[in-house]
Amino acid sequence: MRWTAWLRAPLWLLVPAMLLPYYWMAIGAFKTVAELLRQPPTLWPQAPTGRNFFNPDWAGTTADPDRLAGILQLQVEGHGFLRFYANSLLVTLVVTAVSLLAASFVAFVLTKRPFPGSRWLFRALLLSMMLPWEVTIVPNFVTVARLGWINHYAALLVPGLAKPFVVFYFHQAMRAVPDELVAAATLDGAGTLAIWWRVVLPLLRPALAAIAIPVAVGEWNNFLWPLLVVNDAAMLTLPLQLGKMAGDLSFNPQSAAVLMAGSLLASLPAVLLFLRLQRQFVAGLQAGATKG
């Protein structure tokens, strides 16, 4: 037992390294500009403030660090932070939900309803996983541009729905579903869609939760693709706006505290999602490790 505890020691050493940047961001969101830029840095806000989120003293553009607009007051061509937040939430929720449902149905058909050529189709999906996502950027952009989807939600939603890895993941998880249940439902007259929705999906809840977290976080943090297909301020997602603010730091270091506040707000959905689904996430990983 003692040797086992020592083997886990490197993991405990990694925890501070992983949490320190988040801690610095969290406390920086409540620091004044002067304290955030102070050297040596303080490890805790000496005068906590909420002005980085909403500054009641802001009165238009000003060079005074104490009168900068809070993150909730920033405007880009008439659109504020909450609009960008809503755009990211919409894209993340739709892409995550639809891609998981579509991938689980494809995996169900390939596993429980095989047809001539289904093995070759599954192998083609596996081969597509070997291609880096960046390789498909140019053809996807050309397709989206020809369809007239630039600066439309369709450009943010549709290309992200096809996820071969998620299909592969559900294909492996589907093996744990007894064939007898599918056969019994078929004898009762249930169709393919009914069996998938009423019989298979309830059994895959741990697997759904386990894969939903990385898919949702990936979509929430997606930066490169929205950068290519979105130019209108009304369509900006949260990573795009925060990226633009980070690029302005060299010209306006005083906005670092506001950027910290925006980054903290941007991290909350991912943290809350994991806290909500952590039991199912662990159960899904354990199921994948013991069945297959």
Side-chain angles (χ1 to χ4, degrees):
M1 296 297 293
R2 293 181 178 179
W3 285 108
T4 304
W6 280 107
L7 291 175
R8 291 196 296 266
L11 297 178
W12 289 107
L13 294 177
L14 288 175
V15 172
M18 297 175 62
L19 293 182
L20 182 60
Y22 191 85
Y23 171 77
W24 182 251
M25 175 190 67
I27 64 173
F30 296 95
K31 288 184 177 182
T32 62
V33 174
E35 183 180 359
L36 185 62
L37 301 178
R38 184 181 304 171
Q39 294 294 336
T42 56
L43 299 180
W44 185 258
Q46 296 181 353
T49 179
R51 292 175 178 266
N52 297 323
F53 298 93
F54 185 88
N55 190 353
D57 294 331
W58 178 64
T61 58
T62 177
D64 187 354
D66 294 329
R67 296 180 179 271
L68 293 176
I71 189 65
L72 299 177
Q73 297 166 295
L74 287 178
Q75 296 286 324
V76 179
E77 298 181 12
H79 302 285
F81 184 81
L82 294 181
R83 175 60 183 261
F84 312 139
Y85 214 98
N87 287 340
S88 289
L89 282 176
L90 175 65
V91 173
T92 300
L93 292 175
V94 172
V95 172
T96 301
V98 176
S99 64
L100 262 60
L101 290 176
S104 64
F105 181 74
V106 172
F108 169 70
V109 173
L110 293 176
T111 307
K112 304 300 182 182
R113 288 287 192 268
F115 53 89
S118 59
R119 289 188 177 182
W120 289 104
L121 178 59
F122 180 66
R123 290 170 182 173
L125 288 173
L126 294 181
L127 287 175
S128 68
M129 292 171 53
M130 301 176 65
L131 294 175
W133 181 82
E134 291 78 8
V135 174
T136 65
I137 288 180
V138 173
N140 279 339
F141 179 80
V142 172
T143 302
V144 168
R146 290 181 176 178
L147 291 173
W149 288 354
I150 301 298
N151 287 325
H152 287 79
Y153 283 110
L156 296 172
L157 297 173
V158 176
L161 298 181
K163 298 186 182 299
F165 173 76
V166 182
V167 176
F168 171 74
Y169 173 83
F170 281 121
H171 184 274
Q172 300 304 109
M174 204 73 65
R175 295 182 178 182
V177 178
D179 293 335
E180 293 77 9
L181 289 177
V182 178
T186 303
L187 291 176
D188 288 339
T192 300
L193 283 174
I195 296 174
W196 164 70
W197 182 259
R198 298 180 180 179
V199 178
V200 175
L201 274 186
L203 298 176
L204 293 180
R205 286 181 180 176
L208 284 168
I211 197 64
I213 293 177
V215 170
V217 172
E219 291 299 326
W220 181 259
N221 294 329
N222 193 3
F223 177 81
L224 181 57
W225 180 250
L227 180 64
L228 296 176
V229 298
V230 169
N231 300 316
D232 188 358
M235 299 297 300
L236 290 178
T237 59
L238 205 53
L240 287 182
Q241 175 58 20
L242 293 178
K244 290 183 177 181
M245 293 177 60
D248 294 337
L249 286 180
S250 58
F251 302 99
N252 186 16
Q254 288 78 12
S255 63
V258 178
L259 179 59
M260 292 282 193
S263 300
L264 179 61
L265 292 178
S267 70
L268 292 181
V271 174
L272 294 176
L273 178 65
F274 177 77
L275 293 178
R276 176 64 180 84
L277 299 179
Q278 59 178 329
R279 293 183 179 179
Q280 295 88 338
F281 178 73
V282 174
L285 293 180
Q286 290 176 344
T290 57
K291 299 179 182 179

